[in-house]
Amino acid sequence: MEHLHVTMTSEIPLEKGMASSTADIAGMAAGLSAYFNLGLTPKEIGALCTTIEPSDNLMFEELNLFNHISGSVLKEFDGTVSADILIVDFHGGIDTMTFNETQDDYSPEDLETFAEIVAQFEQGVRTNSLKDIGAACTKSALLNQKRLNKNYLSCLIDLSRDFGGLGTVIGHSGTVIGIMYDKGDFQEEDFHKAFKKFVPDSVYAEIYHNRLIPGGIKIITETV
């Protein structure tokens, strides 16, 4: 009988809404698929992940609108998004499974608003407009306040606007808030000064920089 030894290393913070568990499950599925030559597609991996728990769509290289409960792809977008992002890691965490079990359905008004957000996001992706993409992300963050309120969201939206940010991104089932920005336009030093003035040190763990990049799973084979 063949025995497999599995180890897992991740730099993604847990319970912050940054798809840490999806990365674990999808990575495991892709690795086993490659090892046993199963040929699992991103759609199949996405569907598999959602049978275990609500999941993100990071297994796809292309942007899409993904049903995090059923695993179905609702809409595909023609393009990708690459941007710098400043992430505020607020204290606390959210258990994805428990959180989604307690959520009610969106109201008809919310669904109408969401459709408008998707349309603006799609427009931004199609025209490569980070301004439209950022505006859609900000509206999505505000809509999510009814489901998971973030105390400093309005403050960060204002700071992003005042200091040249492109928009505000959140972990919809987590605690992080991010500011999309372009290095040429973002007044980062002034942003940090204002942030320190309005957001107490006690409510967040750290601030760090990253980039929004295309998704997809990469298989790397190492020889021993």
Side-chain angles (χ1 to χ4, degrees):
M1 178 182 290
E2 187 171 16
H3 294 274
L4 298 179
H5 177 66
V6 178
T7 59
M8 188 175 300
T9 303
S10 178
E11 298 177 355
I12 306 173
L14 302 179
E15 297 186 339
K16 298 294 184 178
M18 299 180 70
S20 58
S21 56
T22 302
D24 293 345
I25 300 169
M28 177 68 73
L32 292 173
S33 175
Y35 186 83
F36 290 107
N37 197 28
L38 301 177
L40 292 178
T41 66
K43 283 188 177 183
E44 290 170 331
I45 292 176
L48 176 64
C49 288
T50 54
T51 64
I52 300 172
E53 66 174 29
S55 301
D56 208 318
N57 61 346
L58 53 77
M59 65 286 301
F60 296 92
E61 291 185 11
E62 302 81 11
L63 282 171
N64 62 35
L65 182 61
F66 183 75
N67 187 311
H68 64 293
I69 301 296
S70 70
S72 60
V73 176
L74 305 177
K75 189 177 187 62
E76 295 180 339
F77 301 103
D78 185 18
T80 58
V81 177
S82 296
D84 290 295
I85 184 167
L86 181 151
I87 301 172
V88 184
D89 181 3
F90 286 93
H91 289 307
I94 302 295
D95 180 85
T96 303
M97 294 187 71
T98 303
F99 170 74
N100 281 280
E101 287 172 355
T102 61
Q103 297 306 303
D104 296 327
D105 291 337
Y106 283 108
S107 69
E109 293 79 12
D110 289 339
L111 291 174
E112 183 176 339
T113 300
F114 184 69
E116 294 171 357
I117 292 170
V118 172
Q120 183 174 26
F121 182 84
E122 183 174 25
Q123 162 90 5
V125 172
R126 186 172 60 250
T127 61
N128 197 29
S129 169
L130 288 176
K131 183 177 180 180
D132 280 338
I133 292 170
C137 290
T138 302
K139 292 174 183 176
S140 178
L142 287 169
L143 181 63
N144 197 65
Q145 286 287 78
K146 297 179 181 180
R147 300 168 70 85
L148 181 59
N149 185 69
K150 292 176 172 56
N151 292 332
Y152 290 91
L153 177 61
S154 294
C155 175
L156 287 178
I157 289 174
D158 290 343
L159 292 178
S160 173
R161 180 199 60 224
D162 292 345
F163 298 104
L166 293 165
T168 307
V169 186
I170 64 165
H172 284 73
S173 60
T175 59
V176 293
I177 302 178
I179 305 295
M180 287 177 55
Y181 67 94
D182 180 274
K183 290 181 179 179
D185 299 322
F186 189 48
Q187 303 163 45
E188 186 172 348
E189 185 176 342
D190 291 336
F191 170 88
H192 281 289
K193 289 179 180 178
F195 178 87
K196 289 287 186 181
K197 180 179 179 181
F198 293 109
V199 182
D201 291 342
S202 60
V203 302
Y204 68 95
E206 62 178 312
I207 302 175
Y208 51 97
H209 296 78
N210 217 315
R211 274 190 66 79
L212 297 173
I213 60 173
I217 300 172
K218 294 179 175 62
I219 301 294
I220 300 174
T221 303
E222 298 180 350
T223 56
V224 179

